[in-house]
Amino acid sequence: MFEAPYPPYDPTDKAGFPYETVLKRWPIILAGVVDQLHRENHNLFVSSSGQEEKIEEGTKFIEQISRLKYEMARDHALQPIPDDGGAHVATFNTELDRLAALSKNTWYTAPWLFAECYLYRLIRAFGAQTKHWRAYDPFLAQKVDAFQKSGVSIHKIATSIRELEDEKVKLEGDPENLKVLFREMIQMCLWGNATDLSLLTNLSLSDIEHLQSVGKDAQTARQAFILKDDQDTVWKQIQSVTDGRVDFVLDNAGFELFTDLVFADFLVTYTPHVSKVVFHPKLIPWFVSDVTPHDFKQTIDLLLDASFLSASSPSEAEKDDLQHMVTRWKDYVEKGVFSLPVPQETPLGGGTGSTADFWTTSLPYWDLKVHVPALWQDLHENSSLVIFKGDLNYRKLTGDIVWPVDTSFETALGPLAGSFPLLSLRTNKADVVVGVDKQVAAKLDSSDEKWRVNGRYALISFSAKSD
C-alpha cells in the first residue's frame, strides 16, 4: 500500500481548521441531527397512534447522538463501529486499532479524514440497528430546504441552456464556440460546490443566491480565484473522444447536483464527444449533503414539480425552460444515457458489496486498484474522463496529507495517477492543496490566512491516463 512521505492533517494544531472542525463544526452538525430527530419524534407523537416502538427507537437514537457529542467535546476515544450488517465495519475498526496503538484514537488526535468519515459511518450505524429508522436520512430535510432556495440560479441556468438549442447546429460546426461554452459549464460546475451544507450551516436565501451566481461577469471575476487551472487540457481530453463515457464521483445534493446534471447534459446534448454519463453516489447519509441514490431521483422529480421552486417567482417562460430541460434528463435516465452504478431505488445502506460502497470508507483513493479492482478496471477501460467533485473527494485523492503546496497533483495521487483521465473540481474548504506555485501560496498566506478553507479559491486539477 502507498505510504505518503508526510503526515495527515489532524486536530492537534489548535490554529488549524481540523481543530476548529472538531471544536465547532461537528458539534453543530450533531446538534442539528438531534433537533431534527426531536421534530420527527414529536410529529409522530401528535399525529398518529401505534408508533410507540418507533418513538422509543427515535428517543434512543437521540440519546446516542447526544452522548457522541458529549464524548467528542471531552476528547474521548473513538469507539468501534458496531456490526450493523452494513459495509466496512472491519475496515474502520481495524484502523481504529492501529490508531489506538499510536495513541491517536481520540477526537482531538485522530487523523481528520479518518475521524470525519468515522463520524458519519457511526451515525449510520445508530440508525441501521433500528427497525423503524433504517431508511432514515437525518439530513434529507436540510438538503431539500437548501435546494428549494436555489430557484433563481436554477431558472437562470435552465433558460441559458434552452437558448443553446437554437444555436446547436452552429455549435457543432465550430469547436471554438464549443470550447468557450465548455469553459462556462466547467466553471459553473466548479462553483456549484460553493453550497456545502456541512460547512455553510446558516445561509439566508440571499447568501445562497450570491454564492450560486453564474453569470459571465461572475465567471470572469472568479477566474482570478482559480489557483490551478487545467481547463484547456481537460477540453483537449474530451475532444479526443467520440461517443465517450464520462463519470461523475458526486459530492453535494441540491444545487451542486443540479449543476453536475447541467454539465453532463451539455456534454451529451451539445457535443459529439460524450454519449453516456455515470453518476456515482454515496449509499448512506454522508457529510450532511452528499448525494444518495434517493437524492438523485428526488432531484429530477422535484424539478419537474412546478410548485417546488415557486418561492423564487419564476415567469411562465422560465418554468417552461426548466421543464423542457429536466424532461430531457428524465428521458436520458430512462434510456440509460444517464445512469448510476446501483438502481435509483436502492435504499439507504443497500448496495453493500457493490463497487459503489467504496465511496463511504475512510480510505484514500491511492490504492483503488487494490481495494476495489472491479471499480478500477471499469474506470480504466471504459471511462473517457472521471470527474471527482468537491472537497472530500480531493482530500481522498491526495490522502489529506500535509503535502508541500507545490507538490504536483500526480505525485499526490500516488499509484492512482495514470489509471484513467482524472479531473478534480474543488473549491478549497480544507487545508490540503497541491499543484500551486509556492510564491502564490506565500502571498495568499500573508493576505488571506483562510484561503485554504474559506471556499473563495478553487482548483481545476487534471491527470492524464498513462499510455
Side-chain angles (χ1 to χ4, degrees):
M1 297 294 181
F2 179 73
E3 293 285 342
Y6 303 96
Y9 283 95
D10 65 36
T12 55
D13 177 7
K14 291 187 177 182
F17 193 54
Y19 180 82
E20 180 181 341
T21 294
V22 183
L23 182 68
K24 298 179 180 178
R25 283 182 48 235
W26 291 348
I28 290 173
I29 290 167
L30 292 175
V33 173
V34 168
D35 289 346
Q36 184 64 34
L37 284 167
H38 270 300
R39 283 192 289 272
E40 302 280 0
N41 252 12
H42 176 74
N43 290 340
L44 287 170
F45 180 78
V46 300
S47 65
S48 59
S49 60
Q51 297 283 349
E52 289 80 10
E53 187 179 34
K54 184 172 183 179
I55 292 171
E56 184 178 345
E57 286 187 340
T59 301
K60 181 180 178 182
F61 201 166
I62 291 167
E63 291 170 353
Q64 289 172 313
I65 299 293
S66 299
R67 184 167 59 251
L68 174 61
K69 183 171 178 285
Y70 175 91
E71 292 177 353
M72 182 184 293
R74 288 151 184 82
D75 196 25
H76 286 201
L78 280 62
Q79 298 302 308
I81 301 285
D83 188 358
D84 60 357
H88 306 299
V89 173
T91 301
F92 277 97
N93 290 342
T94 298
E95 180 63 8
L96 272 179
D97 290 341
R98 188 187 73 85
L99 292 172
L102 299 172
S103 298
K104 290 182 173 293
N105 63 327
T106 70
W107 286 104
Y108 281 90
T109 59
W112 182 27
L113 177 61
F114 173 80
E116 195 154 22
C117 294
Y118 163 91
L119 172 64
Y120 290 96
R121 183 61 183 85
L122 184 61
I123 293 171
R124 170 59 193 165
F126 293 156
Q129 294 179 100
T130 68
K131 176 181 176 182
H132 299 283
W133 300 87
R134 290 184 59 81
Y136 178 68
D137 181 348
F139 309 114
L140 179 61
Q142 194 176 350
K143 287 185 277 190
V144 173
D145 180 65
F147 189 33
Q148 198 163 26
K149 293 175 181 176
S150 305
V152 171
S153 292
I154 287 170
H155 285 109
K156 183 176 182 180
I157 292 170
T159 296
S160 297
I161 295 298
R162 186 71 177 269
E163 291 169 352
L164 286 182
E165 292 190 20
D166 297 333
E167 306 296 329
K168 186 175 180 182
V169 174
K170 294 179 183 177
L171 288 171
E172 289 174 345
D174 190 340
E176 281 304 307
N177 278 342
L178 268 184
K179 179 180 178 180
V180 171
L181 274 173
F182 168 78
R183 291 178 68 91
E184 292 287 318
M185 293 294 168
I186 198 173
Q187 286 198 50
M188 171 204 65
C189 197
L190 170 70
W191 293 109
N193 175 248
T195 305
D196 184 332
L197 298 181
S198 74
L199 290 152
L200 306 173
T201 52
N202 293 292
L203 281 178
S204 67
L205 177 59
S206 60
D207 290 333
I208 288 175
E209 289 174 356
H210 177 71
L211 282 168
Q212 295 167 346
S213 175
V214 290
K216 290 186 177 180
D217 290 343
Q219 298 288 13
T220 300
R222 281 178 165 165
Q223 186 68 39
F225 294 92
I226 300 175
L227 303 178
K228 178 173 173 56
D229 187 356
D230 290 340
Q231 290 181 80
D232 290 345
T233 311
V234 178
W235 177 240
K236 288 177 183 177
Q237 168 60 28
I238 290 174
Q239 280 186 302
S240 71
V241 299
T242 302
D243 291 330
R245 174 182 130 183
V246 168
D247 290 72
F248 282 76
V249 181
L250 297 169
D251 189 31
N252 295 314
F255 183 74
E256 183 177 351
L257 176 59
F258 172 79
T259 64
D260 296 339
L261 286 161
V262 172
F263 190 23
D265 185 18
F266 166 74
L267 293 171
V268 170
T269 306
Y270 296 98
T271 85
H273 307 301
V274 179
S275 60
K276 181 174 177 60
V277 180
V278 180
F279 298 90
H280 299 264
K282 310 299 193 303
L283 298 182
I284 62 174
W286 196 246
F287 282 63
V288 180
S289 48
D290 280 31
V291 180
T292 65
H294 173 269
D295 293 330
F296 186 91
K297 182 179 185 300
Q298 184 184 52
T299 295
I300 293 177
D301 292 342
L302 289 175
L303 290 170
L304 289 172
D305 178 353
S307 66
F308 178 65
L309 299 174
S310 59
S312 62
S313 303
S315 67
E316 290 303 314
E318 287 175 325
K319 292 179 186 177
D320 183 65
D321 291 341
L322 181 60
Q323 290 283 313
H324 182 79
M325 180 178 69
V326 181
T327 298
R328 180 169 63 244
W329 297 355
K330 188 173 183 179
D331 182 59
Y332 281 166
V333 170
E334 291 171 353
K335 292 179 178 177
V337 176
F338 288 176
S339 67
L340 307 180
V342 294
Q344 289 185 68
E345 294 75 21
T346 301
L348 291 181
T352 299
S354 71
T355 58
D357 74 17
F358 172 70
W359 308 117
T360 49
T361 71
S362 64
L363 297 169
Y365 298 159
W366 298 323
D367 296 302
L368 176 62
K369 187 176 182 178
V370 177
H371 294 306
V372 197
L375 176 59
W376 183 91
Q377 197 72 26
D378 177 43
L379 298 176
H380 175 74
E381 293 180 355
N382 301 316
S383 187
S384 305
L385 181 68
V386 184
I387 302 174
F388 289 84
K389 290 299 306 296
D391 198 68
L392 175 60
N393 277 319
Y394 187 88
R395 289 168 65 192
K396 287 190 168 187
L397 285 167
T398 61
D400 206 36
I401 296 296
V402 189
W403 296 104
V405 72
D406 61 341
T407 304
S408 72
F409 185 52
E410 287 75 14
T411 297
L413 290 174
L416 187 66
S419 297
F420 38 77
L422 186 159
L423 170 64
S424 167
L425 296 178
R426 182 250 189 154
T427 51
N428 296 4
K429 299 171 189 171
D431 293 288
V432 59
V433 172
V434 297
V436 174
D437 185 270
K438 281 194 292 188
Q439 292 182 331
V440 171
K443 185 176 180 180
L444 286 169
D445 285 337
S446 62
S447 64
D448 183 357
E449 63 179 15
K450 298 290 187 182
W451 70 272
R452 291 173 178 260
V453 300
N454 60 17
R456 294 185 65 202
Y457 295 89
L459 305 166
I460 300 175
S461 307
F462 178 72
S463 174
K465 183 179 181 180
S466 300
D467 294 332

